[in-house]
Amino acid sequence: MTRHLLLTCALLAVGAAGSLAQDPLRADAASMQKKVAAMTLRANKPASSKTVAPLRTSFTDNEVNAYFKVHGKELVPDGVLDPQIVIVDVGRVRARAIVDLDAALKSKERSWLDPLAWLSGKVEIIAAGTLRAVNGKGVFGLESATLGGVAIPKSLLQELVSYYSKTPDHPRGFDLDSPFDLPASIQAIETKRGGATIIQ
């Protein structure tokens, strides 16, 4: 859920209830929005004020993907379009997006012998793998990746992920091989087909 689960975003205004009843997409997005707000508020509370029992927040693929569709421009970097996440089974996830290769791959000079110099445009990328998130740490294990339906090596996926996940605090972006700290005081993530539960 990749800028580190995108669950530590700022609070957003909730839409009108009347229109939500007629729009399942916006209803799912609003449901996820409320859950993100609750998790953000809990993360910002002093440790001494938190209850002993952990907060368990469950959500579905539909809620997450609706949230991306409605609020994607505020959440994902420029050059990444229509992100979607599917929780395939316990511990297994698949992420898909359209990425702008011109922005990511043309950001540095390349030899004409480099095959990456010839890639351009907006192309669908899909990555599948395993996610283990316990004791405040997450580990992602890549199983496969495709670009425009063609299998690609981890090195190319890493280059794209690094470019689009870099921040002032993490100028090299997300490292696919490295464990990462779970954000927002999250201690663990339990996954099952079609959904997940965050333990905070």
Side-chain angles (χ1 to χ4, degrees):
M1 275 171 234
T2 189
R3 286 203 189 190
H4 292 277
L5 308 174
L6 295 177
L7 294 176
T8 55
C9 65
L11 299 177
L12 302 168
V14 177
S19 64
L20 294 179
Q22 300 171 2
D23 188 342
L25 177 72
R26 290 196 174 274
D28 280 340
S31 175
M32 189 66 199
Q33 185 179 55
K34 290 178 183 178
K35 293 173 184 180
V36 170
M39 288 187 289
T40 302
L41 285 174
R42 182 178 175 86
N44 290 333
K45 284 183 178 180
S48 60
S49 68
K50 293 177 184 174
T51 59
V52 175
L55 176 68
R56 297 176 67 89
T57 305
S58 296
F59 54 87
T60 66
D61 291 351
N62 286 344
E63 288 176 307
V64 172
N65 292 324
Y67 190 58
F68 281 139
K69 280 192 176 294
V70 174
H71 302 294
K73 288 184 179 179
E74 297 125 338
L75 298 173
V76 299
D78 291 339
V80 177
L81 304 170
D82 195 23
Q84 297 174 17
I85 293 174
V86 175
I87 301 175
V88 181
D89 210 337
V90 175
R92 297 191 66 246
V93 297
R94 184 173 68 244
R96 172 249 180 225
I98 304 297
V99 295
D100 184 350
L101 297 181
D102 293 325
L105 299 181
K106 311 303 185 201
S107 60
K108 64 181 182 180
E109 199 164 322
R110 299 180 184 277
S111 161
W112 66 274
L113 294 173
D114 184 346
L116 299 183
W118 302 95
L119 297 177
S120 65
K122 293 180 172 66
V123 182
E124 179 186 63
I125 188 164
I126 298 174
T130 59
L131 175 66
R132 185 171 182 269
V134 295
N135 299 323
K137 294 280 188 181
V139 179
F140 178 73
L142 180 68
E143 294 178 342
S144 65
T146 62
L147 186 66
V150 178
I152 58 172
K154 181 191 281 189
S155 58
L156 174 52
L157 178 65
Q158 179 64 72
E159 186 164 351
L160 294 171
V161 168
S162 294
Y163 179 83
Y164 281 114
S165 63
K166 61 186 176 184
T167 65
D169 291 336
H170 299 91
R172 299 179 67 180
F174 181 78
D175 184 349
L176 292 170
D177 290 323
S178 297
F180 55 91
D181 293 328
L182 298 176
S185 302
I186 293 170
Q187 293 305 303
I189 303 173
E190 298 173 350
T191 56
K192 63 179 182 180
R193 181 182 294 272
T197 297
I198 287 179
I199 302 167
Q200 186 186 33

